[in-house]
Amino acid sequence: MSVKTFRQAINEALHQEMERDPTVILIGEDIVGGHGGSAKKPGSSGGMMGVTAGLYQKFGERRVIDTPISESAIMGAAAGAALTGLRPVAEMMFVDFFGVCFDQIYNQAAKFRYMFGGNARTPMVIRAMTGAGLVCAAQHSQALWPIFTHIPGLKVVLPSCAYDAKGLLAQAIRDDDPVIFLEHKLLYDTQDEVPDEPYTIPFGEAKITREGADVTIVAFGRMVQLANQVADKLKGTISVEVVDPRTTSPLDTDVIVESVAHTGRLVAVDEANPMCNLASEVISVVALNALASLKAAPRKISAPHTPVPASPVLEKLYVPSTGQIEAAVREVMAA
Amino acid sequence: MELSKSELLRAYRLMKTIREFESRISREFEAGTVPGFTHLYLGQEAVATGICMHLTDEDYISSTHRGHGHCIAKGCDVRKMALELWCKRDGLCRGKGGSMHIADISKGMLGANAIVGAGAPLALGAALTAKTLGKPNVSVTFGGDGATNQGTVFESMNFAVVLKLPVIFAVENNGYGEHTGIAYHLGAKDIASRAAAFGMPAVMVDGTDFFAVYDAMGEATARARSGAGPSTIECVAPRWRGHFEGDAQAYRDLTEIKELRERKDCLKLFRERVREDKKLEAHEMDRVDLDVLALIDEAVEAAKVAPHPTPEDLLTDVYVSY
């Protein structure tokens, strides 16, 4: 056990899964970097954010494969390789780039098993950077997990800390279904106690990151960290429970319903744009299963229904904040 | 490339099976017994056959919406195919795929595909598996002339060249992308030269001539198996039917089809050639004809009365784990 960053935890999971299983390969743009450059230093990048550093040096060009900038070809190659015996981990540098290759994911990989009558498996992982907060503007900052969550056949993972990132990524790689694994850019440098040995975390099992009795906050991805801060700040005055579903598909509705049945109050927090996002889904689940236990109308905190602005001033207003979450907690308590 | 007598008979049987299967589906469609949407391979039988005669079950193909011919040539069971076209529970895909998604992974058939151009990236993946695991296998992506205007195909051609993948792009130039003729939709003079511009060998052959397709595929396969990378074969074989069954084909002069049936019938051309070369006798092929007709009749009649999927089948096979 030692303290590791979110970035190191992901890198370690990739190392350990590649060591464990020779059919695991990595494929993407600049996950190696430096091929064909004048410095003649393949492996000099290790990903735009250094997440895949050292993997090329360790596992070589047969298993750590840089491609041309051709997202459809990458996603299709991963899907085809998964159908025929490999366990590819494909990197979509920024989640926003799904726009140029989504067919290969939602019409192909996600549907093979069903369309082929259960006679196929597609064990692939797509890793992608996600989320706002680094002044990356409208086409490099989105929170698109509601779109993936909507598609039957895909599993969607949204880790909120380094410990979960390592265990969930190992699970994703060993899983026999296509998995979208989303890494929030602002989490890469966050730190956590992370075991050195390999471990997995099952999908569809929410984690209660703070126990409480008055209000339930269900938060996703980076928003879990903000919810935890609010719970810690209010400790002693309002007892806040924080639920981190960790995967949006499958979604652990049992823990959400149990928590709200216990507290009677719900604040749902999702960085994604508000129409049909996971906060909406959580409120729907509670309305269907725990309506009678609600002491106040649920509150929903999300980004506004706008693209992500470039201006750091506007971006700060765009991303849900601890201030908004705290205000919502106080509102449901006052109701 | 010299073919033995049994190989020639196998080629003839495959082409004849495709011809009779598709002809029967056409009649059944007109009679209203086949559910859904279907696109037939009539006129192009020599392409799938000439290509797939070089492949084993460990070699993979990705197919198109016009995929029945590819299935048959790759060795899929015609009875299970018929069951799938009738969306029955014992079909190749348990009735959940139908004509446009028919697949048999155990035979290396990675699925018909209702998205034009989507099969090319998938074939890259199958080739990547072979390359990564050090196996001598190849993958083939079938795609029409229309599909070659998709970005996925351009991406895949460059990708395959850059990563030296054992892929063969089998382009089926059947003259039309849906209702639009190639004279309108293709900017380049032909597809082969465009493929060659990506840096791979690319040839154009008469896709109604089984032997021309077979020989070109022999070279492409040898190259791919040796690790030298991808090739493209543009097979010109105009389709005899519309884009889909029921297509009135108002965009087409119907004498064109009559002429194709008279002059560019790959089965007729094959029979003439093997008889001229004294490789097969007419009666040997006639016997195949009878076998094939009986098989297809049996397959279709069984499919019509076979059980449908059960209501429980609606919810299964979405995920492996639940």
Side-chain angles (χ1 to χ4, degrees):
Chain A
M1 186 82 82
S2 56
V3 173
K4 289 168 193 144
T5 63
F6 191 84
R7 173 189 290 107
Q8 286 168 330
I10 292 168
N11 184 275
E12 194 168 277
L14 292 171
H15 269 281
Q16 291 176 346
E17 291 308 302
M18 290 188 78
E19 269 167 9
R20 196 183 61 80
D21 181 349
T23 67
V24 176
I25 62 159
L26 307 187
I27 186 164
E29 296 160 4
D30 291 326
I31 56 174
V32 178
H35 282 302
S38 57
K40 298 190 178 10
K41 279 188 185 164
S44 50
S45 302
M48 283 297 148
M49 298 281 193
V51 177
T52 50
L55 288 152
Y56 172 80
Q57 286 82 348
K58 180 147 185 200
F59 296 101
E61 63 183 6
R62 211 171 247 261
R63 293 180 65 196
V64 185
I65 304 160
D66 260 3
T67 72
I69 300 175
S70 302
E71 282 87 5
S72 287
I74 296 168
M75 292 303 131
L83 264 186
T84 56
L86 297 185
R87 287 188 181 271
V89 180
E91 180 175 308
M92 178 65 49
M93 194 180 289
F94 289 92
V95 76
D96 316 73
F97 304 166
F98 276 101
V100 296
C101 62
F102 203 21
D103 178 71
Q104 290 295 330
I105 298 149
Y106 89 105
N107 269 327
Q108 310 297 332
K111 292 182 172 53
F112 286 151
R113 186 162 181 81
Y114 197 82
M115 289 194 302
F116 301 164
N119 295 317
R121 50 185 64 205
T122 315
M124 64 187 283
V125 181
I126 304 169
R127 295 178 40 246
M129 276 193 271
T130 191
L134 270 186
V135 199
C136 297
Q139 294 173 350
H140 279 60
S141 301
Q142 293 171 85
L144 297 177
W145 46 84
I147 295 176
F148 309 129
T149 305
H150 186 70
I151 309 294
L154 296 180
K155 293 175 178 173
V156 185
V157 182
L158 207 51
S160 68
C161 63
Y163 175 86
D164 286 353
K166 182 175 170 182
L168 289 166
L169 182 54
Q171 173 61 37
I173 293 169
R174 297 181 199 188
D175 203 278
D176 281 332
D177 291 309
V179 179
I180 312 274
F181 187 90
L182 299 170
E183 302 164 13
H184 199 293
K185 301 173 201 74
L186 289 185
L187 292 178
Y188 279 133
D189 291 320
T190 60
Q191 293 189 331
D192 214 357
E193 287 282 342
V194 178
D196 297 328
E197 64 275 11
Y199 59 96
T200 58
I201 296 172
F203 292 166
E205 290 190 13
K207 179 161 81 174
I208 294 177
T209 61
R210 294 291 185 275
E211 287 190 7
D214 297 331
V215 185
T216 298
I217 303 178
V218 180
F220 292 87
R222 179 179 164 252
M223 292 297 118
V224 174
Q225 302 230 348
L226 274 59
N228 288 342
Q229 288 167 29
V230 169
D232 293 345
K233 185 182 170 192
L234 296 178
K235 202 174 176 184
T237 53
I238 303 170
S239 172
V240 176
E241 181 145 296
V242 178
V243 176
D244 174 5
R246 303 196 284 196
T247 58
T248 64
S249 178
L251 182 66
D252 186 349
T253 54
D254 290 350
V255 167
I256 293 169
V257 169
E258 279 163 28
S259 176
V260 175
H262 174 59
T263 63
R265 297 180 183 87
L266 171 65
V267 175
V269 189
D270 187 0
E271 179 181 327
N273 295 114
M275 302 284 279
C276 309
N277 72 4
L278 267 297
S280 305
E281 182 64 23
V282 166
I283 291 168
S284 159
V285 164
V286 168
L288 290 169
N289 299 287
L291 191 61
S293 52
L294 282 176
K295 298 169 190 160
R299 295 278 298 155
K300 171 174 161 179
I301 308 291
S302 301
H305 192 57
T306 70
V308 184
S311 152
V313 175
L314 295 181
E315 189 185 38
K316 213 167 190 173
L317 294 171
Y318 172 91
V319 179
S321 64
T322 50
Q324 283 174 293
I325 298 168
E326 183 184 334
V329 169
R330 291 187 186 284
E331 279 170 31
V332 294
M333 287 304 292
Chain B
M1 235 170 269
E2 202 62 25
L3 282 153
S4 69
K5 184 167 176 168
S6 70
E7 285 171 319
L8 287 169
L9 273 170
R10 188 172 145 238
Y12 180 75
R13 179 180 294 271
L14 288 172
M15 287 195 288
K16 184 70 181 173
T17 307
I18 299 170
R19 170 70 52 87
E20 295 304 334
F21 186 83
E22 297 292 66
S23 301
R24 179 69 182 263
I25 297 301
S26 179
R27 292 197 297 277
E28 295 288 345
F29 194 88
E30 210 171 322
T33 75
V34 195
F37 228 21
T38 196
H39 310 73
L40 301 185
Y41 200 67
L42 290 167
Q44 302 173 229
E45 297 88 344
V47 179
T49 306
I51 298 284
C52 292
M53 284 282 288
H54 288 278
L55 305 178
T56 70
D57 288 353
E58 283 73 46
D59 297 313
Y60 288 98
I61 65 168
S62 66
S63 172
T64 71
H65 55 285
R66 203 175 300 288
H68 309 161
H70 306 141
C71 278
I72 292 170
K74 196 69 176 60
C76 298
D77 180 347
V78 171
R79 295 177 189 86
K80 287 193 168 268
M81 284 181 63
L83 286 163
E84 190 57 36
L85 261 63
W86 265 266
C87 300
K88 295 300 176 71
R89 187 162 203 245
D90 295 325
L92 274 178
C93 304
R94 300 175 68 78
K96 290 175 171 181
S99 168
M100 286 197 284
H101 306 298
I102 192 163
D104 186 349
I105 310 288
S106 70
K107 292 284 178 191
M109 161 58 183
L110 299 178
N113 209 309
I115 307 296
V116 173
L122 300 174
L124 298 175
L128 191 62
T129 299
K131 188 182 171 191
T132 304
L133 300 179
K135 292 182 176 175
N137 299 114
V138 303
S139 72
V140 176
T141 177
F142 288 98
D145 48 291
T148 64
N149 293 326
Q150 287 279 35
T152 46
V153 174
F154 296 157
E155 285 190 22
S156 298
M157 286 183 167
N158 181 62
F159 194 103
V161 170
V162 168
L163 296 181
K164 274 200 179 177
L165 295 177
V167 184
I168 291 103
F169 295 87
V171 176
E172 301 180 310
N173 177 350
N174 69 9
Y176 290 90
E178 303 187 9
H179 294 190
T180 299
I182 192 164
Y184 181 88
H185 79 64
L186 189 73
K189 72 177 170 58
D190 59 59
I191 295 161
S193 60
R194 193 156 72 179
F198 284 99
M200 71 178 108
V203 294
M204 189 191 235
V205 300
D206 179 351
T208 65
D209 177 354
F210 163 80
F211 297 96
V213 177
Y214 183 83
D215 287 348
M217 180 62 180
E219 281 182 36
T221 313
R223 178 178 148 81
R225 293 201 201 280
S226 76
S231 305
T232 292
I233 308 170
E234 178 183 358
C235 307
V236 181
R239 68 174 197 231
W240 289 6
R241 302 292 297 171
H243 169 49
F244 49 83
E245 283 306 278
D247 175 359
Q249 299 191 77
Y251 51 88
R252 208 169 176 191
D253 182 346
L254 295 182
T255 58
E256 177 193 337
I257 299 166
K258 189 165 169 277
E259 204 168 292
L260 285 171
R261 285 183 182 265
E262 281 165 11
R263 296 187 36 244
K264 299 299 278 179
D265 178 341
C266 60
L267 276 155
K268 232 188 263 177
L269 295 169
F270 182 94
R271 285 182 73 114
E272 282 166 16
R273 167 89 178 261
V274 292
R275 289 183 66 194
E276 260 170 41
D277 294 351
K278 303 204 184 318
K279 294 282 175 60
L280 295 178
E281 305 278 344
H283 69 86
E284 294 172 303
M285 292 182 278
D286 293 344
R287 198 179 321 132
V288 170
D289 291 356
L290 290 175
D291 279 1
V292 165
L293 279 169
L295 170 67
I296 287 163
D297 193 53
E298 181 205 318
V300 167
E301 293 307 328
K304 285 181 185 173
V305 297
H308 291 287
T310 64
E312 292 75 40
D313 292 327
L314 174 67
L315 302 181
T316 58
D317 303 325
V318 181
Y319 296 95
V320 174
S321 53
Y322 50 89

